[in-house]
């Protein structure tokens, strides 16, 4: 975490200590609301960097292209955090959303697969910006084992379970061939890892309800973009 991160988190912790929250949060929050929370996190972070201390739901809606009503509904799921006639204290709201998203939980992660994608991810600052420490990578390639990537050591897959158990790993990022994904996922769960971020393209099965898996399909995002472009092109041709 760099100096800017330390300063931001120091400030928001002070703000949390000095402010009071809103109403009691609801027991159930829809997946759609949860998916929008990281966007609030990103936009509020940018507002803090720009020195913005207060913002209304209307102003935030224009930035995020989400209705002000939707923003208020989303935030009310967790207590509201706004004041009538004042809007939102940006640092306080950022701090609360950080807590909700687990940014301050100091989660520890490993990346399984030290190929091109794995190395790109370990070099990406998104982990530290979201409070996740990447502490190791794993691979079967003897030419990679023993090396370091962005300061993170590459270990043999034979050490996977013992390392995860000894270091209390929370999250495993899978960037290995999809043929190995389920087997490795099962090994990780047995070693106590309950959060899996899966880039392999294979939908993983789980036997335990307390295991959380997020399957990332990069091709799906690309095809969604292709659909939008095709739809736009088709519409232009029909207008001619």
């Amino acid at each position: 975490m760099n100096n800017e991160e330390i300063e931001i988190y120091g400030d928001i912790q002070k703000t949390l200590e000095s402010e009071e929250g809103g109403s009691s949060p609801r027991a159930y929050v829809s997946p759609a609301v949860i998916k929008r929370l990281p966007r609030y996190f990103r936009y509020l972070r940018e507002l803090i960097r720009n020195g913005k201390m207060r913002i209304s739901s209307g102003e935030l809606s224009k930035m995020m292209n989400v209705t002000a009503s939707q923003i208020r509904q989303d935030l009310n799921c967790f207590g509201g955090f706004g004041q009538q006639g004042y809007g939102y204290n940006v640092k306080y709201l950022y701090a609360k959303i950080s807590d909700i998203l687990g940014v301050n939980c100091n989660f520890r992660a490993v990346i399984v697969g030290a190929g091109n994608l794995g190395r790109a991810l370990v070099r990406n600052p998104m982990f530290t910006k979201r409070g996740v420490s990447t502490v190791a990578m794993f691979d079967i390639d003897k030419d990679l084992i023993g090396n370091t990537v962005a300061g993170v050591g590459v270990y043999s897959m034979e050490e996977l379970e013992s390392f995860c158990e000894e270091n209390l790993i929370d999250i495993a990022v899978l960037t290995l061939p999809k043929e190995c994904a389920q087997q490795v996922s099962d090994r990780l769960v047995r070693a106590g890892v309950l959060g899996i971020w899966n880039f392999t393209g294979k939908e993983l099965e789980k036997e335990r309800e307390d295991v959380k898996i997020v399957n990332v399909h990069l091709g799906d995002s690309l095809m969604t973009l292709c659909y939008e472009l095709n739809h736009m092109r088709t519409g232009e041709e029909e207008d001619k």
Side-chain angles (χ1 to χ4, degrees):
M1 188 176 290
N2 59 32
N3 291 334
E4 182 185 15
E5 305 293 330
I6 293 171
E7 183 177 351
I8 288 177
Y9 283 111
D11 286 347
I12 64 176
Q13 288 304 315
K14 291 178 183 177
T15 306
L16 272 174
E17 293 169 1
S18 63
E19 298 275 357
E20 294 184 359
S23 58
S24 299
R26 300 175 185 174
Y28 172 77
V29 180
S30 75
V33 174
I34 295 171
K35 286 183 178 180
R36 282 192 289 271
L37 286 179
R39 290 194 68 209
Y40 292 121
F41 176 86
R42 287 190 284 109
Y43 278 92
L44 290 166
R45 182 189 192 85
E46 191 62 30
L47 288 169
I48 291 173
R49 284 176 169 164
N50 293 333
K52 182 82 169 177
M53 295 294 102
R54 182 176 71 176
I55 193 167
S56 68
S57 57
E59 291 175 304
L60 195 54
S61 72
K62 291 177 182 177
M63 292 176 59
M64 297 181 59
N65 197 27
V66 177
T67 67
S69 174
Q70 184 67 72
I71 289 172
R72 290 192 294 270
Q73 289 178 33
D74 288 352
L75 298 181
N76 281 339
C77 291
F78 304 97
F81 315 127
Q83 296 178 359
Q84 187 70 31
Y86 176 88
Y88 299 101
N89 179 314
V90 173
K91 282 188 176 181
Y92 177 66
L93 183 56
Y94 178 76
K96 295 299 290 185
I97 289 178
S98 295
D99 278 350
I100 292 165
L101 290 171
V103 172
N104 305 311
C105 290
N106 299 314
F107 290 127
R108 296 165 65 80
V110 297
I111 296 178
V112 185
N116 292 333
L117 179 55
R119 293 197 300 271
L121 287 174
V122 81
R123 292 187 178 105
N124 195 306
M126 67 176 170
F127 289 96
T128 55
K129 287 183 177 180
R130 288 154 181 80
V132 178
S133 300
T134 306
V135 297
M137 300 182 75
F138 292 87
D139 207 283
I140 61 172
D141 190 335
K142 294 181 179 180
D143 292 333
L144 296 175
I145 296 169
N147 295 334
T148 60
V149 182
V152 177
V154 181
Y155 296 80
S156 168
M157 286 294 293
E158 295 177 358
E159 302 177 72
L160 182 65
E161 285 90 344
S162 61
F163 186 96
C164 290
E165 290 171 356
E166 292 170 7
N167 292 276
L168 303 177
I169 299 302
D170 304 290
I171 298 169
V173 184
L174 302 188
T175 60
L176 69 167
K178 65 180 180 180
E179 294 80 11
C180 311
Q182 188 64 59
Q183 180 188 20
V184 171
S185 173
D186 293 341
R187 289 175 61 185
L188 288 162
V189 172
R190 288 194 294 269
V193 178
L194 300 182
I196 297 176
W197 199 19
N198 174 29
F199 284 84
T200 67
K202 178 181 176 59
E203 295 285 336
L204 296 176
E205 299 176 3
K206 61 177 184 177
E207 296 181 357
R208 293 171 47 179
E209 286 301 318
D210 58 342
V211 176
K212 305 302 178 183
I213 298 174
V214 173
N215 296 301
V216 181
H217 295 281
L218 297 176
D220 289 3
S221 296
L222 176 60
M223 292 186 74
T224 300
L225 175 60
C226 291
Y227 165 81
E228 296 292 349
L229 291 174
N230 185 49
H231 181 70
M232 181 174 62
R233 181 180 296 171
T234 303
E236 290 176 351
E237 290 176 353
E238 290 177 352
D239 291 339
K240 291 180 180 179

